[in-house]
Structures are given as structure tokens and as C-alpha cells.
């Protein structure tokens, strides 16, 4: 018999070798059984296997976004310069016709979140900024809880989503309103400053899903994602 392989046999064998090589390479990387690792020059994160990342190049604002978009499930990372965050919040809370208040003093490098207030006060500060960014303030989210431990704020909130046809929504999903639940973790870190050097910023990881999906088990997976976040950038 001829020892030469047919083209079809050769291609099949080549695919098998490549598949075995790729499987071995993937197996050599330590990963959680519940997700895949994301390694950025500034942070690391574990996200669910079904998530797809959107390309981002920003150094401030929204740094990273990934999600299972058909399920309305998203994980993101943001960096908000602290001085601007406090100044914007002071302006947003000013009544028309009144003089602008002095914003709270921004924390200096090496300081802690606790200098900004209690855990619930910090949560409300960040939630107002989140609502302004997401909907120009048209939507008001509800803070559920906030806990500050080891310079890290763990907090969560619900956001009501506009529904144009509650009847159609009820037929499709069995509910008449949509609520997005979000778990977040925030720390103070250093980011590049427009004036050169670095400045303090609130670094946050956000993981959200529709409430009904959250309560059916997806919430646990997203909370694990938030817990896995690590800010590795240094000044």
C-alpha cells in the first residue's frame, strides 16, 4: 500500500494536531471554571465565557466593555478623575439661580475612599455620576447597599429602564417593567493627567443584568466577576 496521504487525510490530520496543540495551550493557562481571564496593562478581570469585548482605547472614562448583549448583560471598567467628579457633582446639585458651591476637596494620592464620606454617601456620589453619564440624569437609580472594606467599596443598585409597551413586554417576558441590577466595586487609583503626570481617580468595575436574570443565578456569576477585578496600574 502507498504510504502517501490523500489531501483530505492530510488536512484532517493537520487539524487534529492543531486542535490538540491549542487545547494543551489553553489548558496550561490557569482560568476559573466560570470564565476567562482578561489581562490589560492597567487591570485584570475574569469575565464569563460567553462575553464579547468591545474595542476601547480610552485612558479615562470608560476603559473596557464586554457583554452578552442578547441577554442585556454587561461588564465595564471606568476611571473617573476625582477632581472632575467632585466638581461635576457640585454643579449638578446646584439649584438654578444659586451660586455654585465649593466642591469637596479631592483626595490626594495615597488617601482612601473613606475621606469622601460614609459608604452610602460614596455610593450615592458615584451613582449620580453613573446616571448622568448613562442618561444625562433622565434615569434615577436606587442604591441598594454599600460596604467599604480595605479601601474598596462594594455596592449595588437598581436602575428602572423605560418601557414603551408594557403589554407587549408582559407577553414576551412575563413582566411589565424592566429593572437593571448592577454590582460594582470602586477604589482610588492613579491615572494619567491631562497636565502631565498622574492624578487620583475613582476606578470602578460594573457588572449588570436584568433583574429577573440576576435572580435566576446570573447575579452570582457577575458578583464573582466583580470580585476578580484588580487594578494593576502604578503611577
Amino acid at each position: 500500500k502507498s504510504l502517501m496521504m490523500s489531501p483530505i487525510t492530510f488536512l484532517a490530520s493537520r487539524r487534529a494536531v492543531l486542535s490538540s496543540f491549542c487545547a494543551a495551550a489553553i489548558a496550561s493557562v490557569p482560568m476559573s471554571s466560570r470564565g476567562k481571564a482578561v489581562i490589560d496593562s492597567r487591570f485584570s478581570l475574569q469575565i464569563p465565557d460567553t462575553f464579547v469585548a468591545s474595542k476601547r482605547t480610552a485612558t479615562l472614562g470608560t476603559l473596557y466593555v464586554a457583554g452578552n448583549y442578547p441577554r442585556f448583560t454587561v461588564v465595564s471598567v471606568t476611571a473617573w478623575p476625582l477632581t472632575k467628579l467632585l466638581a461635576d457633582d457640585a454643579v449638578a446639585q446646584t439649584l438654578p439661580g444659586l451660586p455654585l458651591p465649593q466642591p469637596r476637596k479631592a483626595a490626594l494620592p495615597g488617601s482612601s475612599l473613606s475621606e469622601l464620606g460614609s459608604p452610602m454617601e460614596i455610593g450615592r456620589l458615584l451613582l449620580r455620576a453613573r446616571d448622568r453619564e448613562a442618561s444625562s440624569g433622565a434615569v434615577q437609580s436606587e442604591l441598594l447597599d454599600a460596604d467599604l472594606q480595605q479601601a474598596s467599596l462594594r455596592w449595588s443598585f437598581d436602575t428602572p429602564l423605560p418601557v414603551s409597551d408594557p403589554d407587549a413586554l408582559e407577553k414576551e417576558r412575563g413582566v411589565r417593567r424592566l429593572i437593571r441590577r448592577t454590582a460594582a466595586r470602586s477604589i482610588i487609583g492613579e491615572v494619567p493627567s491631562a497636565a502631565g503626570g498622574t492624578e487620583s481617580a475613582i476606578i470602578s468595575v460594573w457588572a449588570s443584568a436584568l433583574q429577573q436574570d440576576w435572580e435566576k443565578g446570573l447575579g452570582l456569576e457577575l458578583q464573582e466577576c466583580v470580585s476578580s477585578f484588580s487594578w494593576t496600574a502604578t503611577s
Side-chain angles (χ1 to χ4, degrees):
K1 292 183 180 180
S2 173
L3 297 178
M4 294 184 63
M5 292 185 182
S6 69
I8 295 177
T9 303
F10 173 77
L11 288 174
S13 300
R14 187 170 182 268
R15 289 193 185 102
V17 171
L18 288 174
S19 297
S20 300
F21 176 79
C22 291
I26 292 172
S28 67
V29 180
M31 287 188 181
S32 164
S33 61
R34 297 183 66 89
K36 55 189 176 183
V38 174
I39 307 298
D40 185 89
S41 60
R42 300 155 295 183
F43 63 86
S44 62
L45 180 67
Q46 203 88 3
I47 63 173
D49 286 321
T50 57
F51 277 30
V52 176
S54 300
K55 186 174 179 59
R56 294 272 174 169
T57 59
T59 57
L60 295 174
T62 302
L63 308 181
Y64 176 83
V65 177
N68 183 336
Y69 300 109
R71 294 191 67 184
F72 304 99
T73 307
V74 178
V75 169
S76 63
V77 177
T78 60
W80 294 338
L82 191 49
T83 301
K84 185 177 186 304
L85 172 68
L86 296 177
D88 289 348
D89 188 66
V91 171
Q93 295 194 79
T94 303
L95 294 175
L98 294 181
L100 294 180
Q102 289 294 323
R104 282 176 288 177
K105 184 179 179 180
L108 298 174
S111 60
S112 66
L113 280 171
S114 60
E115 296 180 30
L116 298 177
S118 69
M120 292 297 284
E121 287 173 334
I122 303 169
R124 283 190 285 268
L125 166 70
L126 298 177
L127 193 51
R128 289 192 295 268
R130 180 74 167 184
D131 284 345
R132 288 196 303 271
E133 182 180 81
S135 65
S136 300
V139 169
Q140 288 193 340
S141 301
E142 177 189 358
L143 181 63
L144 300 178
D145 55 63
D147 184 35
L148 183 60
Q149 291 186 353
Q150 299 180 345
S152 175
L153 183 73
R154 290 294 298 261
W155 55 296
S156 64
F157 59 92
D158 281 350
T159 304
L161 303 178
V163 175
S164 59
D165 190 339
D167 293 333
L169 179 64
E170 186 173 23
K171 289 180 181 179
E172 181 182 349
R173 290 180 169 267
V175 295
R176 294 187 62 81
R177 63 175 187 156
L178 291 178
I179 295 177
R180 176 179 291 280
R181 177 155 297 172
T182 303
R185 179 167 167 241
S186 302
I187 61 171
I188 288 184
E190 295 297 301
V191 296
S193 170
T198 61
E199 62 179 321
S200 294
I202 299 289
I203 312 298
S204 299
V205 56
W206 319 76
S208 64
L210 294 179
Q211 183 184 35
Q212 57 265 41
D213 293 333
W214 185 284
E215 294 174 347
K216 290 178 181 177
L218 187 55
L220 178 60
E221 190 173 2
L222 293 178
Q223 286 174 327
E224 290 179 354
C225 175
V226 169
S227 297
S228 75
F229 178 75
S230 177
W231 182 251
T232 57
T234 57
S235 57

